[in-house]
Amino acid sequence: GIQVEQSPPDLILQEGANSTLRCNFSDSVNNLQWFHQNPWGQLINLFYIPSGTKQNGRLSATTVATERYSLLYISSSQTTDSGVYFCVVGPYNQGGKLIFGQGTELSVKP
Amino acid sequence: DVKVTQSSRYLVKRTGEKVFLECVQDMDHENMFWYRQDPGLGLRLIYFSYDVKMKEKGDIPEGYSVSREKKERFSLILESASTNQTSMYLCASSSIVRGYEQYFGPGTRLTVT
């Protein structure tokens, strides 16, 4: 099956710093999403981005499907950005089932 | 906005009890999913459903069953709860119309004592 690798596994930032999270996947996919899991456990949709680039405020994401990777950029980080970021992909012909990366745990210090 | 709701945020049950976890979505999605999340193990798929009365086993279906009598509602059933089912349970939904973009509920933290 498809393998999803996220890096780095952990990241500590000072408030105001920028960061880039990476997701590599091993096969073509028809869905790629980035989620933020907050301290209460809820998974928040950040981006649905099987290809191309999107921006939402301080966050942006780029997926290069032909090279099988995606990047999540966080600029001017805030303490509320802390939590776990998951890259999740959907293989073709799997009826919407998703494969989760192991996540990047981000801690933003004041 | 898509909304997925779960019946409880926190639940405490005793070993051997029958437990129902309910999930409702309001966007007419045909696909619904139940996951559990445990430290160090990530999210694992328990069951999913493509349509009313349709269900398919995920990666860890043992000890669980599901019911989907209406399109908007997907229930997870623990027939006889055990302590190793203490976990965070997350429900999600998606639709082919929206490219299978998946939306999650807030989660239920279940403790079995």
Side-chain angles (χ1 to χ4, degrees), chain B residues 16 23 31 44 66 103:
Chain B
C23 176
N31 303 317
R44 294 178 290 168
V66 291
Y103 294 84

Side-chain angles (χ1 to χ4, degrees), chain A residues 3 6 10 14 17-18 32 37 39 47-48 61-63 79 88 90 95:
Chain A
Q3 304 297 313
Q6 291 186 241
D10 304 281
Q14 206 65 34
N18 303 327
L32 190 145
Q37 188 165 38
F47 294 102
Y48 170 78
T62 295
T63 298
T79 56
V88 185

Side-chain angles (χ1 to χ4, degrees), chain B residues 15-113:
Chain B
T15 301
E17 279 192 84
K18 191 169 186 175
V19 181
F20 293 86
L21 302 183
E22 305 284 338
C23 176
V24 178
Q25 49 92 8
D26 67 355
M27 279 300 291
D28 200 37
H29 285 176
E30 70 274 16
N31 303 317
M32 296 189 75
F33 306 82
W34 275 107
Y35 300 86
R36 64 177 282 176
Q37 185 178 24
D38 303 285
L41 296 176
L43 274 87
R44 294 178 290 168
L45 182 64
I46 304 171
Y47 268 97
F48 59 101
S49 169
Y50 292 129
D51 203 348
V52 175
K53 297 191 186 296
M54 303 292 285
K55 61 185 179 184
E56 198 165 318
K57 294 179 180 179
D59 301 318
I60 51 163
E62 297 79 18
Y64 303 94
S65 62
V66 291
S67 172
R68 192 158 179 210
E69 297 296 319
K70 293 185 177 182
K71 192 173 186 179
E72 67 270 19
R73 187 180 297 268
F74 191 34
S75 303
L76 181 70
I77 304 156
L78 287 65
E79 296 287 344
S80 178
S82 63
T83 55
N84 63 12
Q85 293 178 310
T86 291
S87 187
M88 174 69 143
Y89 289 88
L90 291 154
C91 174
S93 72
S94 73
S95 173
I96 189 173
V97 173
R98 295 185 65 150
Y100 294 121
E101 183 178 4
Q102 201 157 121
Y103 294 84
F104 283 82
T108 296
R109 289 195 183 274
L110 173 66
T111 301
V112 182
T113 61

Side-chain angles (χ1 to χ4, degrees), chain A:
Chain A
I2 292 180
Q3 304 297 313
V4 182
E5 295 182 1
Q6 291 186 241
S7 60
D10 304 281
L11 187 58
I12 299 174
L13 296 177
Q14 206 65 34
E15 198 168 27
N18 303 327
S19 63
T20 301
L21 281 56
R22 186 176 178 102
C23 172
N24 293 330
F25 46 99
S26 60
D27 204 349
S28 299
V29 297
N30 67 357
N31 174 11
L32 190 145
Q33 293 181 247
W34 283 96
F35 290 92
H36 174 217
Q37 188 165 38
N38 64 24
W40 296 271
Q42 181 151 14
L43 283 161
I44 308 298
N45 291 50
L46 296 178
F47 294 102
Y48 170 78
I49 188 165
S51 64
T53 297
K54 290 185 177 179
Q55 180 154 8
N56 184 4
R58 296 181 296 104
L59 274 60
S60 63
T62 295
T63 298
V64 184
T66 52
E67 297 186 22
R68 299 179 186 163
Y69 73 88
S70 184
L71 302 173
L72 178 69
Y73 305 95
I74 303 174
S75 64
S76 304
S77 58
Q78 300 176 358
T79 56
T80 52
D81 295 331
S82 296
V84 182
Y85 290 80
F86 288 101
C87 171
V88 185
V89 304
Y92 284 98
N93 302 319
Q94 290 291 307
K97 284 196 288 183
L98 299 180
I99 309 295
F100 283 75
Q102 288 302 304
T104 292
E105 185 160 7
L106 174 64
S107 178
V108 181
K109 305 295 186 184

Side-chain angles (χ1 to χ4, degrees), chain B residues 6-19:
Chain B
Q6 295 183 228
S7 50
S8 307
R9 289 303 307 274
Y10 300 93
L11 206 54
V12 179
K13 295 291 182 180
R14 293 193 180 276
T15 301
E17 279 192 84
K18 191 169 186 175
V19 181

